[in-house]
Amino acid sequence: MKVCIIGSGNWGSAIARIIGENAAKYDEFDNTVNMWVFEEMVDGRKLTEIINTDHENVKYLPGYKLPENVVAVPDVADAARDADLLVWVLPHQFVPKVCSQLSGNIKKTAFGISLIKGVHIKDNGLELISQMISENLNDMRVYALMGANIAKEVAAGNYCETTIGCSDEERGALLKKLFEVETFRVVVVADEHTVELCGALKNIVAVGAGFVDGLKLGDNTKAAVIRLGLMEMIAFAKSFYNNVEVSTFLESCGVADLITTCYGGRNRKVAEAFVLTKKSLEELEKEMLNGQKLQGPQTAAEVNRMLKEKGLESRYPLFTAIHKICFEGEPVTEFITCLHNHPEHMPAANL
């Protein structure tokens, strides 16, 4: 099986270290792993040339070597042409354009797995990234991997866990083999949509955690944001999706990823700076993220659009407040009000 990685930011490069190692180790996989790299110039050299010569993504994951069997390819269609498995790991804003470049250039039997944390609103409804990819690529089957996986910590070999959502038992076992190493434990669950939804919604909550840090409100308040945010995540999933298993929220993709992101992720960091510097999110993204994209505010906007269409904003005060602060000029000092006014119980959560 030939594997292609679509994306090469810090998370894409971190997971490439694991995929490259396992592709070389196991007979089930072709030794060469293509990785699509958006071509950039770094200190006068092409980034693909640097990766293929020095085996390091010096822009997005400096200090960590990539396996020599991971080959950087600047054209996405060339990278994916012969692939049996496409590993999607790029900002969700770029998915439609990349899909259009891949259309007609990939195997009909290929399938995918999305490591992308975000959602898309289409026709006043919520579309998961796996669904978007599938729809744009002739109904390709796409699974999901989400977890408490800060890229640099994964790259450093710090022990962590992740969750794969895959209802196909045979493919689930194969994906586990591709992604699992001693320091990166993989649990496969059949509840595909919930796994992916957790990865998107937790970024909204992390923005709220950053507001708390910027306002110097302390860990008790942040704990309240995490708890109330988890309630809204569960309620949202159960309101808009069928057969949601609440137990999935206890996997790495759920509560673990939520906690990690609220303490260590980029959404928390930029949201804190938003409070302290009074700069716009766009300015801070450019200043602080080295070309990476901020997912939380955009996901909040997409979710809010859906809630507004269905008249549900008042039932999701945390999600709604974060959207209003980011995009409608509501003072961040009002954030605590949404916590105080939050319903004690959310019936849709059914906990």
Side-chain angles (χ1 to χ4, degrees), residues 218-341:
D219 284 338
N220 290 342
T221 307
K222 189 188 280 193
V225 167
I226 293 171
R227 186 186 76 84
L228 297 170
L230 181 61
M231 286 173 63
E232 291 195 13
M233 287 169 61
I234 296 171
F236 188 92
K238 296 196 75 170
S239 293
F240 293 102
Y241 284 88
N242 296 322
N243 305 315
V244 168
E245 295 287 342
V246 174
S247 60
T248 303
F249 288 89
L250 299 179
E251 298 291 348
S252 182
C253 63
V255 66
D257 195 11
L258 177 62
I259 292 168
T260 297
T261 309
C262 286
Y263 278 91
R266 74 183 76 156
N267 291 281
R268 185 220 64 79
K269 181 170 72 171
V270 174
E272 180 183 29
F274 176 76
V275 178
L276 295 175
T277 67
K278 308 293 191 295
K279 293 181 180 179
S280 71
L281 291 169
E282 292 80 6
E283 286 178 279
L284 293 168
E285 183 181 72
K286 288 176 184 174
E287 287 178 15
M288 300 175 66
L289 297 187
N290 191 32
Q292 297 175 70
K293 293 296 179 182
L294 197 61
Q295 303 286 23
Q298 184 168 348
T299 303
E302 290 164 341
V303 165
N304 184 261
R305 185 174 146 199
M306 188 172 181
L307 295 176
K308 190 175 288 185
E309 286 284 343
K310 300 186 183 299
L312 295 175
E313 281 183 294
S314 63
R315 287 178 56 184
Y316 294 85
L318 188 72
F319 286 177
T320 301
I322 289 166
H323 168 76
K324 286 182 175 179
I325 291 166
C326 289
F327 296 106
E328 296 182 4
E330 182 164 305
V332 72
T333 50
E334 293 296 308
F335 182 58
I336 197 68
T337 305
C338 85
L339 306 181
H340 184 70
N341 293 337

Side-chain angles (χ1 to χ4, degrees), residues 106-164:
I106 55 176
K107 285 184 175 181
K108 290 182 179 178
T109 55
F111 66 101
I113 183 166
S114 173
L115 282 62
I116 301 169
K117 295 176 177 179
V119 289
H120 173 65
I121 299 298
K122 182 180 179 185
D123 300 329
N124 302 324
L126 183 146
E127 184 177 52
L128 298 174
I129 302 304
S130 63
Q131 295 170 322
M132 185 199 298
I133 295 168
S134 179
E135 186 177 285
N136 282 278
L137 292 175
N138 298 317
D139 297 323
M140 172 194 281
R141 195 73 172 88
V142 183
Y143 306 102
L145 180 151
M146 304 283 153
N149 305 145
I150 291 176
K152 282 193 176 180
E153 295 182 16
V154 174
N158 297 349
Y159 179 82
C160 62
E161 301 174 317
T162 201
T163 312
I164 289 177

